[in-house]
Amino acid sequence: MNGFLITFYTAQNRSYQGQPIVEWLLAIAKQMDLRGATVINASQGLDHRGQFHSAGFFELADQPVQIQLAVTAEQATKLLNYLSDKHVAVFYVKTPIEFGFIGQAPLDV
């Protein structure tokens, strides 16, 4: 199957409408029935403005985070339009990919 890998880049301390943005994005993915969202915590990173972010020894609030979703073209358009309509500010990368299952697919797919 062809589609896109959408990767959102944010920080652990970011929120949207009072909810951590990571949890909010996962809830939106679930609401839209998007499968396979993965959250990746990083130790350090530079944001789109060149500012340094890191997970400190005692404080994880500024920890860089990625949320990745493998989606169809239709799902990508629907998700990005939804986020645009909500006026949420989050940096993303949309990469063309091929995805699928090797061997027998799970029964619930």
Side-chain angles (χ1 to χ4, degrees):
M1 183 178 302
N2 292 314
F4 296 95
L5 179 65
I6 298 180
T7 305
F8 295 101
Y9 294 84
T10 188
Q12 193 71 22
N13 61 350
R14 295 260 332 269
S15 62
Y16 178 75
Q17 295 184 341
Q19 183 177 13
I21 199 159
V22 172
E23 291 177 16
W24 184 80
L25 284 169
L26 288 175
I28 296 305
K30 185 172 177 77
Q31 174 186 320
M32 293 185 164
D33 201 28
L34 306 178
R35 306 287 176 99
T38 301
V39 176
I40 302 166
N41 294 304
S43 60
Q44 299 178 350
L46 294 173
D47 68 15
H48 64 282
R49 295 179 306 256
Q51 293 181 325
F52 182 75
H53 297 271
S54 70
F57 186 71
F58 294 106
E59 180 62 52
L60 295 177
D62 197 37
Q63 182 176 22
V65 179
Q66 291 181 350
I67 302 97
Q68 295 186 327
L69 300 102
V71 296
T72 66
E74 180 182 319
Q75 290 170 326
T77 299
K78 183 178 175 184
L79 174 62
L80 294 175
N81 285 342
Y82 179 86
L83 297 177
S84 179
D85 290 345
K86 292 292 182 183
H87 304 289
V88 63
V90 62
F91 181 80
Y92 74 92
V93 173
K94 180 180 166 186
T95 309
I97 60 169
E98 177 182 320
F99 60 96
F101 290 96
I102 300 295
Q104 186 174 352
L107 296 176
D108 63 344
V109 174

